[in-house]
Amino acid sequence: MNIFRLTGDLSHLAAIIILLLKIWKTRSCAGISGKSQVLFALVFTTRYLDLLTSFISLYNTTMKIIYIGCAYATVYLIYMKFKATYDGNHDTFRVEFLVVPVGGLAFLVNHDFSPLEILWTFSIYLESVAILPQLFMISKTGEAETITTHYLFFLGLYRALYLINWIWRFYFEGFFDMIAIVAGVVQTILYCDFFYLYVTKVLKGKKLSLPA
């Protein structure tokens, strides 16, 4: 495992922990898109079904279990424990416009036409756009809490580091996965505007605000 893969995983884990702690400490999920979190739970569920069929390493298995567990814990906190604080009026992105096309694309473009491979491909495609409901919600409310922006930053950083990981593996291992790379590029592009605002505003102590 190279340093970019490791730091990417740690950035991803940091994002998840930041979000969980934010919800738990404030006893509120205000400003958090429940729809995005449901999509991420679906991503991890369909991607890590190989937990039932294969063992790669203790690290690999542990991280997969943590991702799945945290994803469902987040969904539980939003839709059950702190449901009264959930802002459903602004979380209105039509997720079927993401899930249905992504599902169709996974059937058409994959490495191998088998159930596990199609579901893995589906998860890769879905992850690239799963943050859209959250970004859409921020655009509707016009602003985001600082802790929420930290979550989004580390989530975007994880994807950017994974892109570098793919480049590293291509040059040093001869490994090339077009599906993962294209999906990673799409996901990173979605974060570009947010990255700019994060650096120019949030890191300077200002609140991130967008035109509603």
Side-chain angles (χ1 to χ4, degrees):
M1 181 187 299
N2 63 65
I3 188 65
F4 301 111
R5 166 76 183 275
L6 179 60
T7 52
D9 285 345
L10 293 178
S11 294
H12 196 184
L13 188 59
I16 293 171
I17 291 174
I18 286 171
L19 184 63
L20 277 172
L21 287 178
K22 183 265 182 193
I23 296 173
W24 189 257
K25 284 189 173 183
T26 63
R27 317 296 285 181
S28 169
C29 55
I32 303 299
S33 168
K35 291 186 176 181
S36 270
Q37 296 310 311
V38 168
L39 291 180
F40 281 124
L42 183 58
V43 164
F44 296 137
T45 303
T46 53
R47 181 175 304 172
Y48 298 144
L49 288 173
D50 63 346
L51 278 170
L52 305 173
T53 61
S54 60
F55 177 81
I56 299 173
S57 68
L58 181 60
Y59 171 83
N60 185 275
T61 299
T62 302
M63 292 300 280
K64 287 177 179 179
I65 292 173
I66 290 175
Y67 289 149
I68 294 173
C70 288
Y72 280 97
T74 303
V75 170
Y76 167 75
L77 291 179
I78 293 173
Y79 287 103
M80 300 290 287
K81 190 168 183 64
F82 303 124
K83 183 179 180 180
T85 64
Y86 170 56
D87 187 9
N89 291 328
H90 287 114
D91 194 14
T92 56
F93 193 94
R94 299 285 295 277
V95 294
E96 61 268 28
F97 291 153
L98 298 178
V99 175
V100 174
V102 161
L105 186 60
F107 267 96
L108 296 172
V109 184
N110 50 66
H111 294 309
D112 179 47
F113 199 74
S114 64
L116 279 181
E117 189 63 33
I118 290 172
L119 288 171
W120 178 87
T121 306
F122 170 79
S123 77
I124 295 294
Y125 293 151
L126 184 60
E127 185 184 21
S128 70
V129 294
I131 199 62
L132 282 176
Q134 179 66 64
L135 297 178
F136 182 72
M137 188 176 186
I138 291 174
S139 72
K140 286 197 72 175
T141 59
E143 61 183 25
E145 293 180 20
T146 300
I147 194 69
T148 305
T149 62
H150 292 333
Y151 158 72
L152 289 171
F153 173 78
F154 278 103
L155 205 57
L157 181 62
Y158 138 70
R159 204 63 254 181
L161 286 168
Y162 254 65
L163 270 183
I164 301 174
N165 164 63
W166 293 123
I167 296 171
W168 175 280
R169 292 191 66 184
F170 174 71
Y171 277 103
F172 293 97
E173 301 174 17
F175 182 82
F176 185 76
D177 188 328
M178 180 60 76
I179 289 175
I181 290 174
V182 171
V185 169
V186 170
Q187 190 172 358
T188 304
I189 289 173
L190 290 177
Y191 282 95
C192 282
D193 187 46
F194 169 79
F195 278 147
Y196 172 76
L197 292 173
Y198 185 85
V199 172
T200 58
K201 289 191 175 184
V202 179
L203 292 185
K204 293 181 180 179
K206 301 176 183 177
K207 193 167 186 176
L208 189 147
S209 298
L210 299 171

